[in-house]
Amino acid sequence: MAECTHDCGSCGEECSKRDFQVKPHKDSSIKKVIGIISGKGGVGKSLVTTLLASRVNKDGFKTAILDADITGPSIPESFGVGDERAQAVEGQDALNPVVTESGIQLMSMNFLLQNENDPVIWRGPVIAGAVKQFWTDVIWKDVDFMFVDMPPGTGDVPLTVFQSLPVDGIIVVSSPQQLVRVIVEKAVNMANMMNIPILGIVENMSYVKCPDCGKEITVFGKSNIDEIAKTFNIPVLARIPMEETTSRAVDAGDVDSLDIPEISGATAAIEKLLK
């Protein structure tokens, strides 16, 4: 089968009907793959990824995060391992992931840079190739759930992940702004075109709770997430509030210390895939 050039105009087949999947490293063991996507940046996709992986890990499942946001990786900092470096496996053309204190396996571009502040100035196909290598060249050990944190949009990386990895389901991350509706629809439509199951939607920055009276304040105006979910017949899995404690923990690299009950619906939908 010819290699995909991402030039759909020259292709005689529908991408959703072609088999581009690549095998993980021979020593890897990964049961379920969950993609975290969004049609735009700035909605907290990486935050949702870390919260879900942390909670599922606390529930007794072995979890991992493949940071597919090659040019803007933020996962390592959230777990306080930004200075770590991925180690090559002696005698093999492979890498070991960095493991957090709680046992979550991570692979991110930051682990491979000499300086984590160095920019990754690559074109799309090279970035997509790096994402594939995070799947094929890293030894993922006994993973129940792998979370793939993707860059925003519907470009090379989401397409590569959907085609190359055995994605068992995706979660779409959004925020309450009205302009997000079109962006969410694009992400959902892409998943449907690629025949990828959609577990549901998580709305981040949904509201701020008044510390004095407990009233929920909708900073970005009335959410339309329920209407979007109804349109596509998919559930709203969580509405995550904006909280100072969350921001402080992530900035301190201590996302594992957070306990956010609002994400329980999302983690239940994920864990159901194995139960």
Side-chain angles (χ1 to χ4, degrees):
M1 182 178 291
E3 181 71 19
C4 180
T5 64
H6 300 281
D7 179 12
C8 294
S10 66
C11 184
E13 297 182 61
E14 293 183 38
C15 285
S16 61
K17 295 180 179 179
R18 301 185 70 183
D19 185 9
F20 293 100
Q21 283 196 7
V22 294
K23 293 181 179 180
H25 190 277
K26 62 181 180 63
D27 294 328
S28 290
S29 175
I30 306 155
K31 292 179 181 176
K32 298 294 179 182
V33 178
I34 310 298
I36 311 296
I37 73 168
S38 174
K40 71 181 293 293
V43 297
K45 179 173 40 56
S46 295
L47 171 65
V48 171
T49 302
T50 58
L51 291 177
L52 293 176
S54 178
R55 172 61 69 85
V56 171
N57 186 60
K58 291 174 183 175
D59 287 345
F61 297 94
K62 294 182 179 180
T63 62
I65 299 178
L66 190 160
D67 190 355
D69 195 349
I70 302 297
T71 61
S74 59
I75 297 295
E77 295 294 336
S78 300
F79 287 97
V81 292
D83 294 331
E84 298 288 335
R85 292 291 176 265
Q87 299 297 314
V89 181
E90 187 176 353
Q92 297 187 52
D93 186 16
L95 289 170
N96 276 320
V98 171
V99 183
T100 69
E101 289 186 5
S102 62
I104 300 174
Q105 300 173 50
L106 308 177
M107 179 50 66
S108 174
M109 195 65 204
N110 267 10
F111 298 145
L112 304 177
L113 299 174
Q114 186 171 1
N115 186 326
E116 65 176 14
N117 295 320
D118 291 341
V120 178
I121 310 174
W122 293 348
R123 295 189 184 276
V126 180
I127 293 173
V131 172
K132 277 194 201 178
Q133 287 185 284
F134 282 179
W135 174 256
T136 60
D137 296 358
V138 176
I139 300 178
W140 302 97
K141 303 181 181 97
D142 301 320
V143 175
D144 291 318
F145 291 102
M146 171 180 283
F147 295 86
V148 182
D149 182 32
M150 284 183 263
T154 55
D156 280 306
V157 170
L159 180 60
T160 296
V161 171
F162 287 170
Q163 289 182 329
S164 303
L165 276 60
V167 179
D168 296 282
I170 65 166
I171 288 178
V172 182
V173 182
S174 72
S175 59
Q177 296 99 319
Q178 292 300 313
L179 63 87
V180 172
R181 180 184 181 95
V182 176
I183 306 302
V184 170
E185 289 178 351
K186 288 180 182 291
V188 171
N189 283 331
M190 179 183 185
N192 286 334
M193 291 173 65
M194 302 297 296
N195 297 319
I196 304 295
I198 303 173
L199 300 181
I201 303 176
V202 169
E203 184 178 74
N204 189 37
M205 300 181 284
S206 190
Y207 58 88
V208 175
K209 186 171 288 188
C210 175
D212 297 321
C213 68
K215 179 181 178 181
E216 294 181 2
I217 303 168
T218 52
V219 177
F220 297 110
K222 183 179 179 297
S223 170
N224 63 350
I225 195 68
D226 289 321
E227 290 80 1
I228 297 174
K230 184 177 180 181
T231 298
F232 292 98
N233 194 29
I234 53 180
V236 177
L237 299 176
R239 291 178 172 85
I240 302 176
M242 298 172 64
E243 294 182 333
E244 184 183 357
T245 53
T246 301
S247 178
R248 283 206 311 264
V250 173
D251 288 345
D254 195 21
V255 71
D256 261 334
S257 69
L258 292 170
D259 182 17
I260 300 179
E262 288 83 3
I263 66 171
S264 59
T267 55
I270 292 167
E271 293 171 6
K272 186 179 179 181
L273 294 176
L274 272 186
K275 290 179 179 177

